[in-house]
Amino acid sequence: MTKREPETADELLNAVGPAFGKLRRSSLLEVEDPISQKDLSRTLVLNIVLEAEQDDEAREVTVGGVGEYLGTDPSVASRMVSDCISAGYLIRAASQQDGRRTVLHLSPEGRELMTRFRRHQRSAFEQITADWTEGERLEFARLMLRYVDAQNALRAR
């Protein structure tokens, strides 16, 4: 069965949302060094902590911050963080800015998982776009990064 391509601008733009929903599922493709479904879910939390650590301002991440970023209930965020801690990927520590707060840091195992996950993502991207020209791949990557930057700018408002 062949899928009909969107023909109008409205059809194309209406197809974007469902396409984004399928992206995360496609990252489970059988490529080099596959990531388990459980670890794939954990990377949602680990990525928040990793990006905060890599940020120029080196923001501290709390359980509440994870919940806010993911748009989840605090109890859901707490369970997700506890699972990452139990798996050995996150460490709780006292805040250097306010000793009453507990912040999250990646463990060495968490860093290794994120390195493996990033390699997996790159491999999946290369497999999915194998029939594209190099120019198409690079243009899509540039536009995807621009999209994510614009989304983050809206979130920061």
Side-chain angles (χ1 to χ4, degrees):
M1 178 165 146
T2 357
K3 187 174 177 186
R4 186 178 74 79
E5 292 291 319
E7 294 176 12
T8 67
D10 267 353
E11 288 177 347
L12 184 60
L13 294 174
N14 286 339
V16 170
F20 276 123
K22 294 175 185 175
L23 278 178
R24 186 144 179 92
R25 290 188 300 272
S26 72
S27 64
L28 287 174
L29 286 172
E30 290 301 319
V31 294
E32 168 188 333
D33 209 6
I35 305 293
S36 71
Q37 178 69 46
K38 186 68 172 169
D39 279 348
L40 181 65
S41 296
R42 290 171 176 149
T43 63
L44 288 170
V45 173
L46 300 179
N47 197 53
I48 294 167
V49 177
L50 180 61
E51 286 184 1
E53 289 177 356
Q54 293 173 339
D55 193 351
D56 291 337
E57 298 166 13
R59 297 172 286 116
E60 292 184 331
V61 178
T62 63
V63 174
V66 168
E68 186 177 310
Y69 187 89
L70 294 176
T72 62
D73 185 78
S75 63
V76 172
S78 180
R79 282 193 300 275
M80 292 173 79
V81 166
S82 292
D83 176 62
C84 288
I85 291 168
S86 296
Y89 297 139
L90 281 180
I91 300 166
R92 290 185 199 264
S95 167
Q96 297 303 303
Q97 299 169 1
D98 180 350
R100 298 169 293 178
R101 289 183 346 160
T102 300
V103 296
L104 304 169
H105 296 284
L106 288 178
S107 68
E109 294 81 6
R111 288 187 193 292
E112 191 279 325
L113 175 62
M114 291 308 294
T115 298
R116 201 163 55 88
F117 180 60
R118 298 271 165 91
R119 275 195 314 265
H120 176 82
Q121 288 175 310
R122 168 99 185 239
S123 183
F125 179 79
E126 289 173 349
Q127 183 177 331
I128 292 164
T129 61
D131 295 344
W132 299 14
T133 67
E134 182 179 1
E136 289 170 331
R137 280 180 169 183
L138 295 175
E139 181 65 6
F140 180 78
R142 186 186 67 73
L143 290 172
M144 179 62 83
L145 292 173
R146 183 175 168 194
Y147 179 89
V148 169
D149 286 345
Q151 183 181 23
N152 286 338
L154 284 174
R155 181 178 289 171
R157 287 186 188 172

